[in-house]
Amino acid sequence: MVRVTTSDRRSVLRAGAGLVAGGAFAAACSPFTSPSGAVAPHAPASASPGPASRTRAPRAPARPLAAPVPRAFPRQPVQISHGPSGRSRVALTFHGQGEPAVARALLGEAERHGARVTVLAVGSWLDAHPDLARRILDGGHDLGNHTQRHLDINAMPAAEAAAEITGCAERLRRLTGSIGTWFRPSRATRASPLVATLARRAGYPHVLSYDVDSLDFTSPGAAAVARNILGGIRDGSVVSLHFGYADTVAALPAVLDELDRRGLRAVTTTELIG
């Protein structure tokens, strides 16, 4: 059984000290309940964007990034939840929202283990922290679209849902020169048929789902996050995690160590599928 030790916690939490414990946490996407039976909140009230933040364009970096673009994989379904098996690879995918220091700590820990991850960024988060787009791509990670405001996109009418997808895509394009490599619906494991169609129209041939849910957004403790991941992960798995949660930061070193022990390499989703 994998144990998350005190030293594991200290080594990673130093990067976000003072911010992890007391900062605003990211919005969750999976429709699960917390151990207490209450539905886990998807976003703190303070993170709800006002009218100005919904329309504000991000600051463009000084130098455009040569960012990858979406690819069509003919042998894959429209909604991808798992990659090919038998290649000893997995994809750790992070819903991109929350305290920047925590995001940087998670990216740094992944890189120290030689891992590459996939970040599905929320457009309003990019508005507030445009430098993180460069940080993610410079680390060799995938960067994709997780809607503009992180609302329940499957419940929206077509025009509003389309605006959520294209709004985030436009911010990614302005920051990186690309709409990102993947689209994942907000507050849903899978996209509705309408949302999947709208994503294709926006330029995303596939919708990225997952087959392993860390449930980190319920804050169950670092050991539980590690068990949730390691208990279900296998060759080809796509794992759902979140930026902005202390348990995720504390669990990641033990998770990556165990993946190494099992001979599973954490790669970007593009590398996993391709």
Side-chain angles (χ1 to χ4, degrees):
M1 181 176 70
V2 176
R3 297 179 58 248
V4 180
T5 66
T6 302
S7 60
D8 287 332
R9 287 177 178 272
R10 291 201 193 103
S11 64
V12 183
L13 288 177
R14 287 193 194 103
L19 291 168
V20 174
F25 289 142
C29 299
S30 303
F32 292 97
T33 57
S34 69
S36 66
V39 175
H42 290 292
S46 59
S48 299
S53 65
R54 292 177 187 174
T55 58
R56 185 178 69 242
R59 300 184 301 275
R63 292 178 293 108
L65 297 170
V69 299
R71 290 174 53 190
F73 297 92
R75 296 184 180 181
Q76 293 293 329
V78 170
Q79 301 211 46
I80 295 174
S81 60
H82 194 279
S85 59
R87 298 171 64 189
S88 300
R89 295 176 179 178
V90 297
L92 304 180
T93 67
F94 289 84
H95 301 209
Q97 194 176 7
E99 181 58 54
V102 180
R104 292 189 178 95
L106 286 163
L107 292 170
E109 187 63 27
E111 290 158 11
R112 279 189 286 277
H113 280 77
R116 296 295 177 262
V117 304
T118 300
V119 180
L120 292 312
V122 175
S124 59
W125 185 66
L126 293 174
D127 286 342
H129 311 291
D131 59 305
L132 284 173
R134 181 181 294 278
R135 170 65 185 87
I136 292 163
L137 290 175
D138 283 352
H141 310 288
D142 268 356
L143 178 61
N145 180 332
H146 197 34
T147 76
Q148 176 57 24
R149 294 176 294 161
H150 200 271
L151 304 176
D152 185 358
I153 192 168
N154 284 346
M156 293 178 178
E160 189 176 354
E164 284 294 307
I165 299 169
T166 59
C168 184
E170 180 58 27
R171 279 151 178 79
L172 286 165
R173 192 195 305 276
R174 291 184 185 184
L175 288 170
T176 72
S178 164
I179 63 171
T181 47
W182 298 95
F183 168 74
R184 173 172 286 168
S186 49
R187 302 203 183 188
T189 303
R190 294 177 63 84
S192 68
L194 171 62
V195 170
T197 297
L198 295 173
R200 287 197 300 273
R201 290 177 184 171
Y204 301 97
H206 302 279
V207 174
L208 182 59
S209 183
Y210 47 88
D211 65 305
V212 177
D213 195 337
S214 69
L215 299 178
D216 56 353
F217 67 91
T218 66
S219 298
V225 171
R227 285 196 302 272
N228 290 340
I229 296 169
L230 297 171
I233 202 167
R234 61 192 189 280
D235 287 1
S237 282
V238 178
V239 184
S240 171
L241 299 116
H242 295 75
F243 282 169
Y245 286 86
D247 291 345
T248 314
V249 179
L252 192 60
V255 168
L256 292 171
D257 284 344
E258 178 62 13
L259 292 181
D260 286 344
R261 189 188 72 79
R262 296 184 189 182
L264 293 174
R265 182 182 171 208
V267 299
T268 66
T269 306
T270 300
E271 186 174 359
L272 178 73
I273 303 301

